[in-house]
Structure formats: C-alpha cells, structure tokens
C-alpha cells in the first residue's frame, strides 16, 4: 500500500490523536444533509478509514485517542476501526458540550438529542502514563480530585468539528516525553506535535 501520511515517520509515535471524518448515513437527503458532517468537510466510508495504516505510525508502546460518534460506537464500528489499525481497545469517555454562556449545548441525534461526543482509547504494547495524578487529567474550570481517573470532559463548543483544546492539554500532561501526532488535524504542526490532514491550517491560531 502506498504510504498516505506524507512526511510522517513510521513506527515512532507514542501517542496518536485522531478525529476520523466519519460519513453519516442519511435518512433524509433533504433535511438531514445540511446538518451532517459531509456538508462541512470531506468524509470517508468506514472501510476506507479502517484501511488506513495508522498502526504503522505507532512505536512499540503507543496510546491512541480517537474521537467518534455515538452511532458508530454503539454498534461497535469505532472499536472495529481501532482493531483494524492494530490497537487493543481499552476505554473511552465523552465531551459534554457547553455554550459560551455555560449552558448545555444540544444538537441532533438518533433517538436522543446529542449533547456530548464520545472518544475511545486503545494501545499497542504497554504505553506508560507519566503519573496517576495526570492520568486523564482533563483541565477544566471545575475543581476535581487529581487522583480520579476522569473520562468526562466539560468544555465549550466552538466551530463545527473543532475539538476542545483541553483534550490535547491533558494528553500532553499524560505523555510529555513521547513523539505525538494528530491525524485529520485542523491546525498546523507545533513543537510538541506532528500533524496530518488536508485542513491543517483551518484553526491555525490555536497552534
């Protein structure tokens, strides 16, 4: 298979952070498409996402955090992606979305209206977190017991598909000394991160 990741180096990354462009099934091409991800950016079929050689980027001990959607998590599709990439699924959590005024943000959904977004984690080998006090140490304005293994992130919703900076902050605390890469990134590379994607300049001010 031709290497799809440009200048990214194989077999070196101890942390992979990825936000795949999931393609949603449409029940109404008229009313549904305007709110679907594919109306905002290029999306990929599930099999195409699974075929990406993401595991070839991983060091012998590598941790992965992958954003998903509940209708991909519930039937196991997102877990299948991690397995196809060579990772052992481990755990996960969710981002509870709030508005600038501190209110709960609501979107569309299948049955329930969506107000949070899930992420899954996985591993190759035995990646080591720096310390228990930093483990899933997601930074918010709410005081929490640092010894808890937190998997709930409360953070403001911004532009469509833009993920909270608090997650990357937490991952930097958890894995400060390993090479890190963000796939399908929407901001440029920086000192601590390599990036790959076709919209890496979209949120450049956040880098």
């Amino acid at each position: 298979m031709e290497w799809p990741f440009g200048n990214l180096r194989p077999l070196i990354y101890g942390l992979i952070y990825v936000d795949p462009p999931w393609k949603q099934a449409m029940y109404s091409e008229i009313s549904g498409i305007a709110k679907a991800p594919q109306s905002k950016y290029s999306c990929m079929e599930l099999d195409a996402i699974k075929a990406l050689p993401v595991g070839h980027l991983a060091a012998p001990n590598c941790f992965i955090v992958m954003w998903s959607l509940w209708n991909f998590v519930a039937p196991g599709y997102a877990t299948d992606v991690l397995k196809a990439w060579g990772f052992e699924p481990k755990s996960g959590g969710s981002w509870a979305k709030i508005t600038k005024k501190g209110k709960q943000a609501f979107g569309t959904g299948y049955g329930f209206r969506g107000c949070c977004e899930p992420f899954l984690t996985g591993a190759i080998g035995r990646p080591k977190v720096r310390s228990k006090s930093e483990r899933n140490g997601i930074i918010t304005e709410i005081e929490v017991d640092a010894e808890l293994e937190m998997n709930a992130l409360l953070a403001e919703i911004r532009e469509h598909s833009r993920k909270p900076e608090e997650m990357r902050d937490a991952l930097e605390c958890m894995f400060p000394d390993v090479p890190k890469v963000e796939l399908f990134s929407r901001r440029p590379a920086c000192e601590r991160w390599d990036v790959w994607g076709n919209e890496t300049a979209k949120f450049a001010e956040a880098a």
Side-chain angles (χ1 to χ4, degrees):
M1 178 181 179
E2 184 179 352
W3 183 246
F5 296 126
N7 294 326
L8 295 185
R9 296 162 290 172
L11 305 176
I12 71 154
Y13 296 102
L15 175 66
I16 298 175
Y17 182 45
V18 55
D19 182 19
W22 308 100
K23 186 175 182 179
Q24 288 275 32
M26 290 293 99
Y27 293 105
S28 171
E29 293 296 334
I30 297 175
S31 61
I33 190 66
K35 297 179 181 179
Q38 48 263 44
S39 71
K40 309 294 184 181
Y41 49 83
S42 298
C43 293
M44 296 174 64
E45 299 286 353
L46 183 62
D47 285 345
I49 293 174
K50 291 168 69 173
L52 288 170
V54 174
H56 293 182
L57 292 166
N61 298 302
C62 180
F63 192 76
I64 189 169
V65 175
M66 182 185 74
W67 289 101
S68 187
L69 303 168
W70 285 114
N71 58 309
F72 284 86
V73 171
Y77 302 149
T79 302
D80 290 344
V81 168
L82 290 180
K83 292 178 179 178
W85 290 346
F87 290 85
E88 179 184 356
K90 292 294 185 180
S91 186
S94 64
W95 164 28
K97 301 177 181 182
I98 58 174
T99 68
K100 290 182 178 180
K101 295 182 178 181
K103 303 290 187 180
Q104 186 72 62
F106 289 97
T108 59
Y110 294 84
F112 291 101
R113 291 182 64 189
C115 64
C116 64
E117 187 169 342
F119 61 87
L120 298 181
T121 67
I124 290 175
R126 297 177 62 86
K128 295 185 181 297
V129 176
R130 183 173 69 177
S131 72
K132 283 187 176 181
S133 64
E134 300 291 352
R135 192 172 185 178
N136 285 17
I138 292 173
I139 302 167
T140 73
E141 295 180 357
I142 299 173
E143 292 186 4
V144 295
D145 184 345
E147 294 299 324
L148 292 176
E149 296 182 11
M150 296 172 290
N151 65 355
L153 167 61
L154 181 66
E156 183 181 317
I157 186 172
R158 293 179 289 175
E159 298 90 341
H160 183 88
S161 81
R162 185 172 182 175
K163 298 303 183 286
E165 299 301 316
E166 290 91 339
M167 176 62 88
R168 283 199 19 165
D169 291 343
L171 294 175
E172 288 182 4
C173 290
M174 292 168 66
F175 300 97
D177 302 321
V178 302
K180 293 175 272 289
V181 63
E182 181 174 356
L183 304 181
F184 299 104
S185 178
R186 292 183 174 87
R187 62 181 187 175
C190 64
E191 181 181 357
R192 303 174 303 279
W193 293 80
D194 290 340
V195 299
W196 175 82
N198 60 11
E199 292 186 318
T200 55
K202 189 173 182 65
F203 303 127
E205 77 280 1

